[in-house]
Amino acid sequence: MTSQNTKTEMLSGAAMVIRALADEGVEYLYGYPGGAVLHIYDALFQQSKVKHVLVRHEQAATHMADAYARASGKAGVVLVTSGPGATNAVTGIATAYMDSIPMVVLTGQVMSHLIGEDAFQETDMLGISRPIVKHNMSVRRPEDIPYLIKKAFYIAQSGRPGPVVLDIPKDMTMPHERYPYQYPESIKLRSYNPTAAGHPGQIKKAVTALLKAKRPVIYAGGGVIMGQAAEELTALARKLNYPVTNTLMGLGAFPAADRQFVGMLGMHGSYEANMTMHHADVILAVGARFDDRVTNNTKKFCPDATIIHIDIDPASISKTINAHIPIVGLVKPVLSAMLAQLEQKKAQPDTQALATWWQQIDEWRTVHGGHYDSDTAVLKPQAVIEAVSRITQGEAYVTSDVGQHQMFAAQYYKFNKPNRWINSGGLGTMGFGLPAAMGVKLNYPDADVVCVTGEGSIQMNIQELSTCKQYGLGVKIINLNNGYLGMVKQWQDMNYESRYASSYMDSLPDFVKLAEAYGHVGIRVTKPEELQPALEKAFAHKDQLVFLDIHVDPKEHVYPMQVPGGAINDMFLSKTKRT
Amino acid sequence: MRHIISVLLENEPGSLARVVGLFAQRGYNIDSLTVAPTEDATMSRLTLVTHGNDQVIEQITKQLHKLIEVVKLQDLSESAHVERELMLIKVKATSGEQRDEVKRCADIFRGQIIDVTAKTFTIQVVGTSDKLDAFIEALKGSAIIEVVRSGVSGIARGEKTLTL
């Protein structure tokens, strides 16, 4: 094809990559340059639509893209070079995969003719990423680039979302070889057609079962957040006046301030949430996957419950817990259809049974109620999260790393909106929090973005403080510093007679000085009375990164905690009390 | 329970690795696997024999469906089907008596002797896996030198099909 007899634009492979991203509406690309992607970086330099964010380590690029996707619902995009660039991205890809987050990762590759020859910076990225992606592909002809990029976005964002890797050998992007460019409007694949609407017969059955319930509960997960169905879920729950529990991934799907909310369920779920689940006669599971951190021992799971399970992924249905009424479909249209049926139906929920049920739940609420010993001279981590929740009025974007601080954030921050709680639930990736906060802050510059972390996790990607300076990302870092890998220590206290094998970190840096060295503001808090003024000061710095190094009680444990091998309602409620 | 799962797969590089990887990754069994392009060169047909309880088989079919390159699949063993496996077996056949015995045995199993040397016979047998097992058992007395089995291929009986 020549350019004389057609209006089709002629672009190099490298230019096509960037143009396709622009045509897809991508604003930010997170990445790190290197040999195999230099042609693409040169094309990036020659335009202004797609902006590039240069991280300090590729893992951070993936978490930034991932967090953007969690906050916005749209796929985040990453560009890394071949070999170590690509392998550094692996943890971030796996993180997105485990939490079903849409992401498109462009990885450079050595020249096609060198593939398989153990060339410099060659790695079989398709092979490495295969078990941790929704799909992966490689470019074999430069003219396929627009189609493959469209396909990558389509697969990443439809059905059950997930990361897609596109491997691009360097010779596919040669600057002087030009090919006709046209970005496809849509893609149709004969082998991939995810279901959207649920089966009407199943929906009808589900509504009937729900209305018959005497001890119902709605159990909502990350599918409600990514499926943008929080509004429908809330409407359905309020119409029925049924209690709602959210999974770790589902926090914000139903407002925490609502009386019908019984808290998070599972391993560190609230007493009332786990009790409500265990005693329920009908469970409506929405976009949740009966993960082992929720169910505890599956053989003892919710013995009396009829289970209605709505999920976009048929493989998630009856995987660990048998669903009596499965509904495969996007949660949003399915919940809308259920609401519409409820509007039409004359039948009402059994109000008398419901009143008894609520009375029971309210009693359970008084048993533990998120209690912790706040009357001490030592600052408690729970108190820090409660203070952050108050000062941001439950409106901030909160990212976290992994460990005790993550559970405290999940338990004590009152999430009233979806897409605000951003954490690595499935993979449990330490080092996620800071880059995640950066990804959110870059895209939502006016919002308060808080990274709740610990002195262990923060050091896994602390180099990104430099990226924060370069792009002026004023995130607020809440470092719950207890000198220990807290969750590891808690397990060692509970199961290993307090033998702290490698859970204590000596020689921690002076985080205040470190923050300052990177050009940020650092504040240390060591006493309870210093907390409130420090937080006020931190949040007053609108555009600056503030690193709050908060020294908290190293002896504190996260409770409730499920008893291993028990039912969902077998819990430790404190160091001395269990159910 | 033994199941025969038949899969129509996009004939793309790496698509077979995805299927095999899925089984390795999730700890499912593969008893045999056979794959080749169909009359439409863009598609491969894969026949996989596995075993597991109903829950495991349900997960296997669902997880296979999730692979982007899987177009369609069918659990052949759920309904009437025909299955065949091909075996090439090389046996030592030196004495006249031994040669007669092997020949007789091959005839009983409707095997064909497809290669002959002064010391060996190579026999081709086609049938269900059970039949091939039985043939090996019947030849136990003779010295088996080498066995190659194709793995099971299968197709549904009657009107039922696995096509686009």
Side-chain angles (χ1 to χ4, degrees), chain A residues 295-428:
Chain A
T295 60
N296 210 3
N297 188 340
T298 51
K299 290 196 180 70
K300 299 178 184 169
F301 182 74
C302 303
D304 306 327
T306 297
I307 292 171
I308 306 163
H309 191 178
I310 309 170
D311 206 289
I312 185 63
D313 179 6
S316 282
I317 290 174
S318 297
K319 183 168 77 174
T320 57
I321 298 291
N322 189 48
H324 304 95
I325 307 174
I327 305 172
V328 176
L330 292 170
V331 290
K332 198 179 174 82
V334 172
L335 289 174
S336 298
M338 289 175 84
L339 266 168
Q341 285 201 17
L342 280 171
E343 300 285 350
Q344 288 169 3
K345 281 219 178 201
K346 293 211 175 71
Q348 293 290 323
D350 184 339
T351 43
Q352 210 170 354
L354 208 52
T356 316
W357 183 228
W358 272 116
Q359 201 178 353
Q360 172 67 77
I361 293 168
D362 286 336
E363 269 172 46
W364 286 330
R365 276 178 161 148
T366 62
V367 174
H368 181 260
H371 174 79
Y372 62 94
D373 184 14
S374 53
D375 192 24
T376 59
V378 200
L379 194 48
K380 293 287 181 178
Q382 298 94 324
V384 178
I385 304 297
E386 285 185 325
V388 174
S389 188
R390 272 196 309 273
I391 203 163
T392 57
Q393 295 166 333
E395 298 272 316
Y397 288 90
V398 179
T399 74
S400 95
D401 275 299
V402 171
Q404 281 187 322
H405 67 265
Q406 177 190 25
M407 291 301 120
F408 290 135
Q411 290 174 330
Y412 293 93
Y413 194 94
K414 301 293 168 214
F415 291 98
N416 288 321
K417 288 183 178 166
N419 307 87
R420 297 294 166 107
W421 165 236
I422 290 169
N423 85 130
S424 166
L427 195 68

Side-chain angles (χ1 to χ4, degrees), chain A residues 5-136:
Chain A
N5 55 15
T6 165
K7 280 185 181 152
T8 310
E9 234 178 316
M10 301 297 284
L11 295 177
S12 71
M16 280 201 269
V17 170
I18 301 304
R19 174 63 83 76
L21 295 180
D23 287 347
E24 188 60 40
V26 174
E27 188 181 1
Y28 289 110
L29 180 57
Y30 311 91
Y32 206 107
V37 286
L38 280 180
H39 296 324
I40 301 176
Y41 270 85
D42 196 50
L44 195 53
F45 189 82
Q46 295 177 44
Q47 54 85 58
S48 55
K49 269 193 179 157
V50 181
K51 289 171 273 214
H52 181 263
V53 178
L54 176 67
V55 291
R56 301 299 178 261
H57 184 288
E58 288 88 348
Q59 185 189 346
T62 56
H63 294 330
M64 283 187 83
D66 171 316
Y68 161 69
R70 290 178 202 241
S72 71
K74 287 184 240 155
V77 192
V78 175
L79 172 62
V80 294
T81 192
S82 65
T87 57
N88 276 348
V90 166
T91 301
I93 297 169
T95 303
Y97 179 70
M98 288 296 279
D99 289 341
S100 310
I101 304 303
M103 192 154 91
V104 172
V105 182
L106 308 174
T107 56
Q109 185 53 277
V110 300
M111 299 268 195
S112 309
H113 70 275
L114 293 175
I115 290 177
E117 294 193 354
D118 302 317
F120 176 66
Q121 294 195 328
E122 181 192 352
T123 260
D124 173 14
M125 192 53 188
L126 293 178
I128 286 180
S129 65
R130 197 173 292 127
I132 51 163
V133 291
K134 184 170 175 187
H135 194 55
N136 62 19

Side-chain angles (χ1 to χ4, degrees), chain B residues 61-119:
Chain B
T61 54
K62 284 173 167 179
Q63 294 290 350
L64 277 170
H65 253 306
K66 268 176 83 171
L67 297 177
I68 304 293
E69 284 149 341
V70 167
V71 184
K72 267 185 182 178
L73 66 87
Q74 200 176 60
D75 186 346
L76 285 178
S77 32
E78 270 184 345
S79 52
H81 65 279
V82 185
E83 58 172 286
R84 291 289 180 272
E85 189 177 358
L86 180 138
M87 175 166 70
L88 304 178
I89 180 165
K90 192 179 280 182
V91 293
K92 199 185 255 179
T94 43
S95 69
E97 197 187 329
Q98 217 176 8
R99 291 174 88 89
D100 287 349
E101 175 59 26
V102 171
K103 176 81 174 61
R104 255 200 310 279
C105 206
D107 286 344
I108 292 169
F109 282 84
R110 294 190 201 157
Q112 290 168 284
I113 297 171
I114 54 171
D115 186 49
V116 182
T117 70
K119 288 179 184 161

Side-chain angles (χ1 to χ4, degrees), chain A residues 36 74 88 141 160 176 189 211 220 288 361 380 426 497 504:
Chain A
K74 287 184 240 155
N88 276 348
R141 302 183 316 162
R160 180 179 181 172
H176 301 299
L189 298 172
L211 287 173
I361 293 168
K380 293 287 181 178
E497 294 165 321
Y504 175 68

